[in-house]
Amino acid sequence: MAQDDVFKKIVSHCKEYGFVFPSSDIYDGLAAVYDYGQNGIEMKNNIKEYWWKSMVLLHDNIVGIDSSIFMHPTIWKASGHVDAFNDPLIDNRDSKKRYRADNLIEDQIAKYEEKIEKEVAKAKKRFGEAFDEAKFRETNPRVLDNQKKRDALHARYTEAMQGPDLEALKQIIVDEEIVDPISGTKNWTDVRQFNLMFSTEMGSVSDASNKIYLRPETAQGIFVNYMNVQKTGRMKLPFGIAQIGKAFRNEIVARQFIFRMREFEQMEMQFFVKPGTEMEWFKKWKETRLKWHKALGMGEENYRFHDHEKLAHYANAATDIEFKMPFGFKEVEGIHSRTDFDLSQHEKFSGRSIKYFDPETKESYTPYDIETSIGVDRMFLSVMCHSYEEEKLENGETRVVLKLPEALAPVKCAVMPLVKKDGLPEKAREIVNELKFHFNTQYDEKDSIGKRYRRQDAIGTPFCVTVDHDTLNDNKVTIRFRDTMEQERVDISALRGIIEDRVSIVSLLKKLQ
């Protein structure tokens, strides 16, 4: 099945089973804005809990805050967002669609890379075990030709993005004969910059002096509270401040479902260190964050680092953790060495000292900062994409199952009476009332037991417990395991222990130690 078709099925599944709805759905929606349904919010909260506890519970030098969405407008001048938070945009005159110029060029680079990989894959299949991949890449004319084109394009693109040079970006699109995916034409406008911040007015009078912004990132709320946290918490370097919160960007080219939205949620941690030690900490946080992702068991081959060649104005090192989505490897988390840029800028614009007094060296200096920033919505999407499966069963039927990491599943256990009589519903309710204090447990009595299993498979419930007539005599139930569909007869008293060890966030945190 084509990856585009798989992705469409995942989007449809999210709506059908209460994970994600188009916002304002009864009014035909609002572009690039989504609401999380009853199952989606449970899973989203589990992701946030896993991240939060991995930061503030497992590190005694990291604390959390919750800063406001509205902040003083000068903050965004100091951070550079007012002057430099732009995307290079280009329109196709025929389709009337707008695109990010950098994305069009990156997609073209990816096409050359795909051509190379296809040649390698064909050769590998043809020659089998005798295939020497390294030699093939060094000698095959088609591979070498595509590699040459890819490298030349990449070099031009990297140079053009340094400014960015908008004319150079347009020329690359023309020279590469990049076509609009909708109209199929090359009738492009010039490239221009577009600021991504939403603005509004605060107060009773609509006036330029009252103009404020919806925050485009949560990081600045941490930076402007750095001194408050450091002093009240008596924090010593190195230490971190974590935050989860909403951010807003007026994405003109919002696409790929919840991957790129105008209202989204971030999980960010700023780790303040002594100048000169930042590259050591940058490396450490790269390893720590990748380990966090891999603990979910979604396949090491689905992750990779992508080091930035064009660095943001505040950074001296940056990398992305990318996950293999149905539409290719895409960024889910960024790790950046932001130097002392942010704190120095806020010190300059506010006129307040934000220096750290080091009790060991008896000197004052502005700390450097290592940032880890992960999109909650992108993380949610990566989990959904990896977990969605359509399985052919031995009886010829097909089941749709979400093989979610068990600790992230919205419902951990469904308890089902075999029939709705003979005291079985009452016994099932007793079990639910005992388990619900420990993890999210659902009671399900509608439809045949087979249909109920399929419904729970579709929302990713790891365990189904069936109460039958024998339960009333032997106090045992049948527990069914989602991924294998195997069933086992166990004592009711053993249920909590069997399930809780596998579905608690603690089970994930222990993998990080």
Side-chain angles (χ1 to χ4, degrees):
M1 187 185 299
Q3 291 301 298
D4 283 349
D5 292 336
V6 172
F7 190 59
K8 288 177 182 176
K9 287 191 174 186
I10 291 169
V11 174
S12 176
H13 191 89
C14 281
K15 181 176 181 182
E16 183 179 357
Y17 287 95
F19 284 90
V20 182
F21 306 131
S23 182
S24 313
D25 200 16
I26 63 172
Y27 291 97
D28 298 324
L30 185 64
V33 184
Y34 291 91
D35 299 333
Y36 283 83
Q38 67 275 23
N39 289 317
I41 189 59
E42 291 291 340
M43 183 169 133
K44 190 180 184 185
N45 283 341
N46 290 337
I47 291 171
K48 290 192 286 186
E49 183 184 2
Y50 174 40
W51 182 87
W52 187 264
K53 288 185 174 178
S54 72
M55 287 294 179
V56 301
L57 287 190
L58 300 190
H59 300 93
D60 57 11
N61 60 346
I62 297 178
V63 296
I65 66 167
D66 182 15
S67 66
S68 297
I69 289 171
F70 294 139
M71 293 193 286
H72 196 287
T74 307
I75 288 172
W76 305 112
K77 187 72 177 174
S79 67
H81 284 81
V82 171
D83 299 320
F85 194 55
N86 305 302
D87 275 345
L89 300 180
I90 190 169
D91 292 341
N92 182 270
R93 294 187 179 94
D94 298 320
S95 69
K96 308 292 191 257
K97 294 294 183 181
R98 184 166 290 168
Y99 301 89
R100 278 180 53 176
D102 55 334
N103 285 347
L104 289 175
I105 297 170
E106 287 171 1
D107 288 346
Q108 184 71 4
I109 292 172
K111 286 179 182 178
Y112 287 125
E113 293 171 347
E114 287 170 10
K115 288 180 180 178
I116 294 170
E117 295 309 314
K118 282 182 180 178
E119 291 293 338
V120 172
K122 283 193 294 184
K124 190 178 293 185
K125 186 176 181 180
R126 186 165 66 246
F127 295 110
E129 294 182 3
F131 180 59
D132 186 336
E133 182 175 333
K135 187 175 181 180
F136 181 81
R137 289 179 181 272
E138 292 171 0
T139 58
N140 182 268
R142 286 185 295 274
V143 169
L144 292 173
D145 182 54
N146 281 311
Q147 188 66 49
K148 183 179 179 182
K149 290 177 180 177
R150 183 262 175 211
D151 291 345
L153 173 57
H154 186 268
R156 285 185 69 189
Y157 170 60
T158 301
E159 183 178 354
M161 285 299 289
Q162 294 302 319
D165 185 334
L166 303 184
E167 291 184 7
L169 289 173
K170 167 72 180 295
Q171 194 59 47
I172 291 173
I173 290 171
V174 171
D175 293 345
E176 288 290 324
E177 299 185 338
I178 295 174
V179 300
D180 172 27
I182 295 176
S183 68
T185 69
K186 294 171 277 189
N187 191 9
W188 298 107
T189 65
D190 291 336
V191 180
R192 60 198 181 284
Q193 292 281 49
F194 183 85
N195 193 282
L196 301 177
M197 284 198 295
F198 284 105
S199 63
T200 186
E201 291 83 29
M202 179 172 282
S204 59
V205 180
S206 180
D207 185 276
S209 63
N210 295 327
K211 185 177 181 180
I212 61 169
Y213 300 95
L214 296 180
R215 63 183 182 192
E217 65 177 24
T218 59
Q220 299 306 318
I222 294 176
F223 294 128
V224 298
N225 277 296
Y226 160 79
M227 286 302 295
N228 288 332
V229 174
Q230 192 273 317
K231 287 184 176 179
T232 59
R234 295 182 297 170
M235 309 296 289
K236 292 183 178 180
L237 290 183
F239 73 90
I241 303 175
Q243 177 171 214
I244 299 176
K246 288 290 186 86
F248 306 83
R249 296 180 184 177
N250 193 13
E251 296 278 5
I252 295 301
V253 190
R255 58 181 177 175
Q256 293 166 330
F257 192 33
I258 58 172
F259 183 79
R260 191 180 300 280
M261 299 192 294
R262 294 188 171 97
E263 176 185 339
F264 56 96
E265 201 161 8
Q266 290 180 301
M267 304 184 291
E268 293 198 328
M269 193 279 297
Q270 308 298 329
F271 196 74
F272 301 100
V273 302
K274 186 176 182 178
T277 66
E278 71 273 9
M279 297 314 296
E280 174 188 342
W281 283 107
F282 176 73
K283 180 181 178 182
K284 177 178 173 58
W285 277 110
K286 279 179 63 174
E287 295 168 354
T288 301
R289 294 307 305 146
L290 186 59
K291 187 177 181 180
W292 183 90
H293 287 274
K294 289 182 176 180
L296 291 170
M298 298 199 297
E300 293 195 11
E301 71 282 1
N302 291 317
Y303 297 94
R304 72 182 187 188
F305 283 119
H306 172 69
D307 293 328
H308 290 208
E309 294 172 353
K310 178 187 181 298
L311 295 174
H313 59 280
Y314 52 74
N316 64 357
T319 193
D320 295 332
I321 294 176
E322 296 183 335
F323 184 80
K324 191 175 184 181
M325 304 278 197
F327 41 90
F329 275 96
K330 296 294 179 180
E331 175 197 354
V332 292
E333 177 163 8
I335 299 108
H336 312 106
S337 175
R338 297 181 72 123
T339 68
D340 63 351
F341 173 82
D342 297 279
L343 293 183
S344 294
Q345 283 292 98
H346 290 304
E347 185 174 66
K348 173 183 172 183
F349 277 77
S350 69
R352 307 281 185 88
S353 174
I354 310 183
K355 288 187 168 51
Y356 172 78
F357 177 75
D358 193 324
E360 294 182 5
T361 62
K362 308 299 183 187
E363 60 179 333
S364 295
Y365 52 80
T366 304
Y368 272 39
D369 170 55
I370 307 299
E371 172 185 75
T372 75
S373 177
I374 175 170
V376 181
D377 309 280
R378 290 187 178 188
M379 186 66 202
F380 183 102
L381 184 59
S382 68
V383 173
M384 288 295 295
C385 288
H386 180 265
S387 302
Y388 180 88
E389 287 191 23
E390 295 179 6
E391 288 186 349
K392 283 282 187 183
L393 305 180
E394 292 181 359
N395 61 7
E397 294 180 4
T398 300
R399 77 159 178 160
V400 174
V401 56
L402 290 184
K403 294 187 175 180
L404 301 168
E406 292 171 347
L408 302 186
V411 178
K412 304 300 193 287
C413 174
V415 182
M416 311 170 176
L418 189 61
V419 293
K420 294 190 286 184
K421 59 181 181 179
D422 303 333
L424 301 190
E426 291 77 9
K427 189 65 176 177
R429 289 283 187 188
E430 283 181 24
I431 296 172
V432 170
N433 289 335
E434 170 59 31
L435 297 179
K436 69 183 181 182
F437 293 101
H438 308 287
F439 41 80
N440 195 1
T441 306
Q442 190 175 88
Y443 175 82
D444 193 353
E445 67 175 16
K446 185 181 178 182
D447 297 323
S448 69
I449 196 71
K451 286 184 178 179
R452 282 180 271 172
Y453 282 154
R454 292 291 175 268
R455 187 159 56 236
Q456 296 298 331
D457 287 342
I459 66 171
T461 305
F463 303 97
C464 289
V465 171
T466 303
V467 176
D468 57 29
H469 291 91
D470 289 337
T471 303
L472 303 180
N473 299 318
D474 61 13
N475 231 31
K476 291 186 177 183
V477 291
T478 301
I479 185 169
R480 174 188 182 268
F481 300 86
R482 178 196 66 200
D483 295 348
T484 63
M485 294 191 293
E486 292 179 357
Q487 299 185 18
E488 184 181 340
R489 194 78 176 167
V490 301
D491 289 326
I492 292 175
S493 60
L495 277 177
R496 178 186 165 190
I498 294 171
I499 299 172
E500 192 169 32
D501 285 346
R502 293 174 54 165
V503 303
S504 71
I505 295 297
V506 174
S507 66
L508 289 175
L509 297 178
K510 286 180 177 177
K511 296 179 182 180
L512 304 179
Q513 290 295 291

